[in-house]
Amino acid sequence: MKIGFWFLVMIVCSPWAMGAVQDTLQPQKREFLRDKTIVPVPVVFRLPETGFGAGAVVASTFSFARDSVGAKPSQLSFGVTYTQKKQILVFLPFTIFYDNNRYYFSGDNGWYKYNYFYYGIGEDRIEQEIFDVQYPRVRLLASRLVAPNTYLGLRYQYEGYNVTGTRPGGELASGRIEGSDFSRTSGLGLSILRDTRDIVFYPRRGIFAEAYVLPTSRIFGADRNFTRYYLDLSHYKSLHKKVVLATNYVASATVGDRVPFSQLSFLGGQKKMRGVYEGFFRDKNALIGQAEARWEVWRFIGLVGFGAVGVMGDEKDIIRLNKPKYTYGVGLRVTAQKKNHLNIRIDYGMSPYGHGNLYATIGEAF
């Protein structure tokens, strides 16, 4: 395993070690929330680009008191980490179902002072470059039920990506790459979402899919114009009372002449093609297919096996089907909140493109 990847998180905060904090008070007539659960998660890691780092994540699940017992639960997380090289990550993701699932809101927001690796664009790999960056990120979706299990809404995204340091003599330092110094993206577009999952955090059947078109434009405050087309579909099927097959399909395309490298479609990371560094492959277009077998072994312990295939493309070759990339791996699940089956996830992914990667977080990859 590459020494610079996640190696210790969460075992100490499993239910049998520290326990989830559950609200045991009886519901009151004027209570706003019910079924509140708080899961604190200490984080310790070491990455080659950061050195040692530590922090904490607090995840909360809840339902609105006015909603029926069968309404889907909501989740909100807040995390802060600090590294040996004085890097800071602050993040606030959430998913909220309100008014008996009539409204669905989600977000992935944060502020980051960090650095990443860059390996080039397209099929040609370059020597690894490290670059420093500071940026706020806002990703919001507000949608309303318009048909059974179907939502229509607006998606907004903003990112002020300020590259503060690059490798001297590298490709990013040359200025030839769009967004290698600064880019401000701000987009507002239409989203349609389909949700037939039986359980939000650990589905055993159903689908969860979103398709959106997101124009980034100077009209919305961006410093350039381009459009992203995106589809993300997950399907769940119960093979046995303790075995679930989950599959996920992603199609991403960015159309425009001045798409910054940070906004290109990519492969890798803790959700899409675990086992390869996030952004190791990036280009205008991407297709990803991944599958995961989930086995509930004993009480709050589960195991998974997963694999993924992805392909890239650009304006000339829309999708290069003859140049697939693939990853595979195994994982451990520890149930942190039993009622809604919210899991602590620890995955080890592998690929032919480098050493294995260890990921640890809350919630399933898809």
Side-chain angles (χ1 to χ4, degrees):
M1 184 188 77
K2 191 172 182 177
I3 191 171
F5 286 85
W6 300 88
F7 71 87
L8 175 61
V9 175
M10 303 184 183
I11 292 300
V12 296
C13 61
S14 62
W16 40 267
M18 67 181 296
V21 181
Q22 178 73 43
D23 184 1
T24 59
L25 297 177
Q26 294 297 320
Q28 302 297 321
K29 289 183 178 180
R30 294 186 179 181
E31 189 178 35
F32 182 60
L33 302 176
R34 59 176 168 80
D35 298 330
K36 301 184 291 292
T37 300
I38 298 175
V39 182
V41 180
V43 177
V44 180
F45 60 92
R46 188 179 189 277
L47 300 169
E49 65 268 40
T50 67
F52 283 102
V57 179
V58 177
S60 174
T61 63
F62 56 90
S63 297
F64 292 95
R66 60 174 290 180
D67 291 351
S68 65
V69 175
K72 293 177 178 177
S74 301
Q75 180 186 5
L76 184 149
S77 301
F78 176 73
V80 179
T81 62
Y82 184 79
T83 76
Q84 185 180 5
K85 296 184 179 180
K86 300 182 180 180
Q87 297 151 331
I88 304 171
L89 296 88
V90 182
F91 43 93
L92 179 68
F94 62 85
T95 58
I96 295 176
F97 289 92
Y98 179 68
D99 195 10
N100 285 311
N101 307 328
R102 185 173 299 171
Y103 296 94
Y104 173 73
F105 305 94
S106 70
D108 180 9
N109 311 300
W111 184 85
Y112 307 87
K113 179 185 177 183
Y114 205 64
N115 54 37
Y116 298 99
F117 289 135
Y118 173 78
Y119 297 93
I121 297 172
E123 300 296 335
D124 296 329
R125 305 291 81 206
I126 67 169
E127 183 181 350
Q128 174 182 285
E129 296 182 16
I130 191 168
F131 66 96
D132 304 319
V133 63
Q134 294 184 31
Y135 62 100
R137 171 184 288 165
V138 178
R139 294 178 178 175
L140 298 171
L141 170 66
S143 60
R144 188 185 192 280
L145 201 66
V146 295
N149 304 309
T150 303
Y151 295 82
L152 186 65
L154 293 175
R155 177 171 281 278
Y156 174 75
Q157 294 189 10
Y158 172 87
E159 194 169 279
Y161 206 78
N162 184 23
V163 178
T164 58
T166 57
R167 195 191 76 183
E171 188 169 272
L172 291 178
S174 72
R176 298 190 303 268
I177 304 301
E178 280 290 338
S180 60
D181 53 355
F182 177 80
S183 64
R184 183 174 61 252
T185 56
S186 180
L188 179 68
L190 193 65
S191 165
I192 184 168
L193 188 145
R194 177 81 172 165
D195 184 7
T196 65
R197 296 171 297 175
D198 58 338
I199 304 174
V200 172
F201 305 129
Y202 192 87
R204 291 181 171 85
R205 58 179 173 83
I207 67 168
F208 185 77
E210 184 191 5
Y212 65 80
V213 178
L214 189 68
T216 286
S217 171
R218 291 182 173 85
I219 296 174
F220 306 127
D223 64 355
R224 64 197 68 215
N225 300 324
F226 66 92
T227 301
R228 180 184 301 281
Y229 300 88
Y230 198 82
L231 170 66
D232 191 333
L233 186 154
S234 297
H235 177 264
Y236 309 94
K237 183 177 181 179
S238 180
L239 304 181
H240 181 270
K241 66 178 182 179
K242 290 191 175 183
V243 179
V244 174
L245 176 64
T247 53
N248 176 245
Y249 310 94
V250 176
S252 174
T254 50
V255 179
D257 295 330
R258 297 191 58 213
V259 182
F261 79 99
S262 61
Q263 295 294 319
L264 291 171
S265 304
F266 64 86
L267 308 181
Q270 65 174 343
K271 291 188 175 182
K272 309 301 181 188
M273 295 194 68
R274 288 158 288 175
V276 65
Y277 186 84
E278 181 174 316
F280 183 83
F281 295 105
R282 64 177 83 210
D283 211 330
K284 285 290 188 72
N285 311 318
L287 286 177
I288 301 172
Q290 49 186 356
E292 181 170 287
R294 301 170 179 171
W295 177 29
E296 298 171 64
V297 179
W298 175 74
R299 294 179 64 185
F300 51 80
I301 299 296
L303 297 175
V304 305
F306 56 86
V309 176
V311 289
M312 309 293 291
D314 55 21
E315 301 94 335
K316 181 180 178 181
D317 302 310
I318 302 302
I319 286 294
R320 296 182 288 269
L321 294 175
N322 61 332
K323 296 182 178 180
K325 284 76 177 161
Y326 63 92
T327 64
Y328 52 94
V330 295
L332 172 70
R333 299 294 181 269
V334 180
T335 302
Q337 205 271 339
K338 185 176 180 180
K339 180 177 180 179
N340 296 315
H341 207 144
L342 179 64
N343 283 338
I344 292 170
R345 171 166 64 93
I346 303 174
D347 289 331
Y348 185 66
M350 295 164 280
S351 77
Y353 320 109
H355 298 283
N357 298 308
L358 188 62
Y359 309 90
T361 186
I362 296 177
E364 302 302 325
F366 54 86

